[in-house]
């Protein structure tokens, strides 16, 4: 590739004149913004073991009352982006949130989309767009853009969940803001049950689908069962994986974030194709080893890691006799819409 002229090659008075006019020459920076073959990537491979986070999160429960936090969250920040940017990857935000018995995280709505993967505890619920969603371990709950949401807890032990948001993307677009609201009136409960059988959907179409988000809660027991059945009836398929979709349209459940669950059979090693998307792995059950060049993360239950895009990844079940279940988040729906999604061999 041709070497291009540098900034220093230009006379100083010319550079000063450009600056005075808010002008910048492209050629000294062209190879930075358009590197050959592969993008410049800030996202570092990072692992956040739950056993390291948990005591710090519980301590935040002692140190900061919910009224002073609104959302009591420790953010899983990728140093490659700078911790203060609160990014796990270029587009994905991750946070571990704690709600103690009797606490209430007040209603608000905002432009970024959120999903919650419940990590520990039971008895908490989140109300999203008037629908009360129970939070049990492994459940996935959507909080799509613009829907009111608040969290409450009737149980007697701490509840912890992993928040996944497209906040860095929406913030970068200068489109991120919040509105505060009143406690919602619950209008729906257990509506998640309406879509639980694959192949059939309610007729006439369920009212929530007018908002494009017919299903908000994906109970873990159902997803786990789907994976086990898939492994049994499709023994030859390479990856035993299911995607969280909109059951009315079959499209991804959210427009930016891609969400799936993967089962590693006992003893299985799975090589993932090299994709253009960074990925987040969160261990729901069992233990898996995530390997990429120069890194190896041994994920136990509730551990979370992220890996950059354009990188071959291998997943290995650490157990020879138990399956391992991993939740995966990426930004493939966004990349596909923009036409930049790639799989490389
Ligand atoms: C948010 O609304 C929640 O509602 C959690 O629980 C984390 C991080 C950034 C922006 C909004 C919640 C968030 C958030």
């Amino acid at each position: 590739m041709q070497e291009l002229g540098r900034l220093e090659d230009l006379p100083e008075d010319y550079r000063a004149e450009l600056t005075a006019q808010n002008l910048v020459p492209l050629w000294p920076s062209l190879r930075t913004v358009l590197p050959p073959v592969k993008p410049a990537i800030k996202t570092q491979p990072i692992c956040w073991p739950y056993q390291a986070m948990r005591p710090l999160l519980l301590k935040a429960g002692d140190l900061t009352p919910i009224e002073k936090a609104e959302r009591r969250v420790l953010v899983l920040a990728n140093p490659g982006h700078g911790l203060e940017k609160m990014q796990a990857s270029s587009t994905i935000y991750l946070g571990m949130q704690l709600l103690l018995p009797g606490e209430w995280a007040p209603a608000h709505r905002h432009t970024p989309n959120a999903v919650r993967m419940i990590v520990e505890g039971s008895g908490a619920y989140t109300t999203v767009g008037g629908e009360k969603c129970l939070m049990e371990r492994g459940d996935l709950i959507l909080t799509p853009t613009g829907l009111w949401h608040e969290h409450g807890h009737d149980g007697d032990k701490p509840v912890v969940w992993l928040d996944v948001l497209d906040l860095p993307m929406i913030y970068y677009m200068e489109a991120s803001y919040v509105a505060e609201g009143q406690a919602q009136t619950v209008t729906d409960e257990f509506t998640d049950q309406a879509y639980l059988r694959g192949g059939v959907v309610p007729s006439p179409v369920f009212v929530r689908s007018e908002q494009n988000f017919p299903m908000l809660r994906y109970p873990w027991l159902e997803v786990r069962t789907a994976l086990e059945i898939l492994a049994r009836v499709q023994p030859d398929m390479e990856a035993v994986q299911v995607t969280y979709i909109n059951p009315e349209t079959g499209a991804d459940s959210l427009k930016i974030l891609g969400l799936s669950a993967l089962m590693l059979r006992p003893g299985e090693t799975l090589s993932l194709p090299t994709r253009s998307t960074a990925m987040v792995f969160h261990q729901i059950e069992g233990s898996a080893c995530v390997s990429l060049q120069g890194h190896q993360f041994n994920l136990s239950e509730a551990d979370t890691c992220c890996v950059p895009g354009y990188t071959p990844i291998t997943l290995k079940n650490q157990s020879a006799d138990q399956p391992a279940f991993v939740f995966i988040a990426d930004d493939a729906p966004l990349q596909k819409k923009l036409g930049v999604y790639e799989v490389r061999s």
Side-chain angles (χ1 to χ4, degrees), residues 131 191 195 206 208-209 211-216 246-248:
E131 176 169 339
T191 39
Y195 285 96
F206 182 50
R208 182 176 279 293
S209 52
Q211 300 167 327
N212 231 336
F213 302 106
M215 188 164 175
L216 295 178
N246 174 332
E248 289 284 358

Side-chain angles (χ1 to χ4, degrees), residues 71 73 93 97 108 110 112 114 116 149 151 161 163 165 167:
R71 302 297 191 260
V73 177
Y93 157 106
Q97 182 160 173
H108 69 187
H110 42 67
R116 317 196 191 281
H149 55 282
H151 318 305
W161 64 81
D163 290 313
L165 281 85
L167 177 65

Side-chain angles (χ1 to χ4, degrees), residues 256 276-278 310 331-342:
I256 293 178
S276 51
T277 54
Y310 297 90
D331 59 4
L334 172 68
Q335 287 206 355
K336 286 176 183 172
K337 286 183 187 78
L338 299 180
V340 298
Y341 180 77
E342 264 186 75

